[in-house]
Amino acid sequence: MTPPDTPASTATDTTDPAHRAAGAEVAYAVVIPTLGRPCLTDCLRSLAEAGEPWPDQVVLVDDRPEPGEPLPLEAAGPLQDRIRTTATGGRGPAAARNAGLAAVGAPWVVFLDDDVRVTPDWSRRLTADLAAADVRTGGVQGRLHVPLDASRRPTDWERGTAGLEGAAWATADMAYRSAALRDVGGFDERFPRAFREDADLALRVLDAGWTLRRGERVTHHPVRPADRWVSVRVQRGNADDALMRRLHGGDWWHRAEAPRGRLARHAAITAAGVAALALARRPRAAAVAAALWALGTAEFAWARIAPGPRTRHEVTTMLSTSVVIPPLAVAHRLRGELAHRRAAAWRGAA
């Protein structure tokens, strides 16, 4: 299905002010992929406390590789009888959201992450957002708020999470018209992580002729606990950037409103380090290459340390991970380029 040319081609004219005021009449379902983390309890409780208009369905997609503790359905309170659960066996958030989409019949589906907490007026604001959407609107994004400790500077991990506040089309709270999702085949399941799968979907929806806009509802996204090596693990996302480039071209960053990152600098630092090792029998050349590696690594570390709290733990974490991140980022990007060199446009799950 493609978006209609005129509002007259639909049964309901959502541009009519009277219809926009009747937000409660907008039917929607909520899909929450989860790994059974404790934060799911708070997510479901906040959804219940958001009150009416209730979602037609709440689909919890259990994406744990192996069965675990039962999901905390009781936290959903009055929404319990609207909950449906399904399992995807660890196939990743894109596949989990597709499974959730397949289980709903509402004209709108709202994707929430299991670590968010919607505000008490979220349901009312959501339906107002959806009622205000014209017939060409394929999706409406919620406004994310990342609460931080105001008494100190945020850590590197906290700053990274806070970046969600400005992220475009993040599925932490993103409502899509079901027709638009089916029009493009849903989420591309070749994105195995919660990274870039939302940007990819947004670009495909836009390319299909739909529009996307930001709504007025607000959702809180707390910073989840993480160990000191989390910034190293997230470098795996560089492989997904290779898939994005293959599918959407070199300007996908601009079109998806995504930051460019530091891959070019990481490549230069890595090249300097490799050269220092390769030139071991030429001491002067090796020393120059080693100096360039050290300067690049120091600049990267300081760029992460300077805006932070500068505690001993944070400084040592930034120093140690700044040595490891550049070569890992480059390696993951090369792996992605190789793996996705023949990737074709996503047509939907088989």
Side-chain angles (χ1 to χ4, degrees):
M1 175 181 177
T2 56
D5 292 332
T6 65
S9 61
T10 64
T12 303
D13 181 359
T14 56
T15 63
D16 180 84
H19 179 78
R20 286 201 301 267
E25 297 177 6
V26 179
Y28 70 97
V30 172
V31 171
I32 306 174
T34 183
L35 293 174
R37 298 183 295 184
C39 55
L40 177 61
T41 297
D42 292 332
C43 178
L44 291 175
R45 184 177 294 119
S46 71
L47 189 61
E49 292 173 353
E52 297 181 349
W54 301 118
D56 287 2
Q57 293 173 275
V58 178
V59 181
L60 296 182
V61 187
D62 187 344
D63 196 42
R64 290 176 289 188
E66 300 291 339
E69 293 294 321
L71 299 178
L73 305 186
E74 66 281 356
L79 291 177
Q80 265 189 270
D81 62 349
R82 299 175 187 239
I83 290 181
R84 174 177 176 177
T85 62
T86 186
T88 43
R91 293 166 53 205
R97 294 191 186 103
N98 282 343
L101 173 63
V104 303
W108 288 92
V109 55
V110 186
F111 296 103
L112 295 177
D113 285 350
D114 69 353
D115 56 353
V116 304
R117 300 171 188 171
V118 301
T119 54
D121 62 351
W122 182 85
S123 297
R124 177 177 59 82
R125 287 180 175 267
L126 166 70
T127 50
D129 283 344
L130 303 184
D134 64 33
V135 294
R136 293 180 178 273
T137 301
V140 186
Q141 179 181 8
R143 297 179 183 270
L144 298 177
H145 169 66
V146 179
L148 298 175
D149 186 345
S151 67
R152 58 168 175 80
R153 293 178 175 182
T155 64
D156 179 70
W157 176 240
E158 290 169 338
R159 293 194 305 275
T161 303
L164 288 170
E165 293 186 343
W169 328 129
T171 42
D173 180 357
M174 184 72 194
Y176 273 105
R177 202 181 290 274
S178 298
L181 293 175
R182 295 187 173 103
D183 192 14
V184 300
F187 288 85
D188 188 334
E189 297 180 11
R190 293 171 295 184
F191 290 91
R193 287 164 286 275
F195 187 72
R196 303 303 190 207
E197 85 291 353
D198 47 9
D200 166 74
L201 176 64
L203 292 182
R204 287 187 288 115
V205 168
L206 291 169
D207 288 343
W210 299 90
T211 62
L212 301 175
R213 69 177 187 85
R214 288 173 171 82
E216 297 300 324
R217 66 191 185 278
V218 176
T219 294
H220 297 301
H221 192 302
V223 180
R224 71 174 186 268
D227 61 62
R228 72 192 315 164
W229 298 107
V230 64
S231 60
V232 173
R233 292 193 297 275
V234 299
Q235 299 309 310
R236 290 175 292 187
N238 283 281
D240 301 329
D241 285 349
L243 179 55
M244 288 293 289
R245 186 194 65 80
R246 173 66 182 174
L247 297 174
H248 301 288
D251 67 339
W252 74 266
W253 302 88
H254 175 71
R255 297 174 56 221
E257 302 178 38
R260 283 300 301 264
R262 297 177 61 106
L263 185 63
R265 295 187 186 188
H266 290 337
I269 292 170
T270 302
V274 170
L277 295 174
L279 296 171
R281 295 185 179 182
R282 298 171 58 186
R284 289 186 179 180
V288 170
L292 292 173
W293 173 85
L295 285 172
T297 302
E299 184 277 330
F300 177 43
W302 179 245
R304 302 170 70 206
I305 292 170
R310 305 186 193 179
T311 61
R312 177 179 296 180
H313 180 272
E314 179 72 0
V315 171
T316 56
T317 297
M318 295 301 98
L319 289 174
S320 56
T321 56
S322 293
V323 172
V324 178
I325 285 174
L328 271 182
V330 172
H332 283 302
R333 179 55 181 263
L334 292 174
R335 176 176 59 82
E337 294 286 352
L338 180 63
H340 302 303
R341 65 190 183 280
R342 295 188 180 91
W346 177 255
R347 301 300 182 190

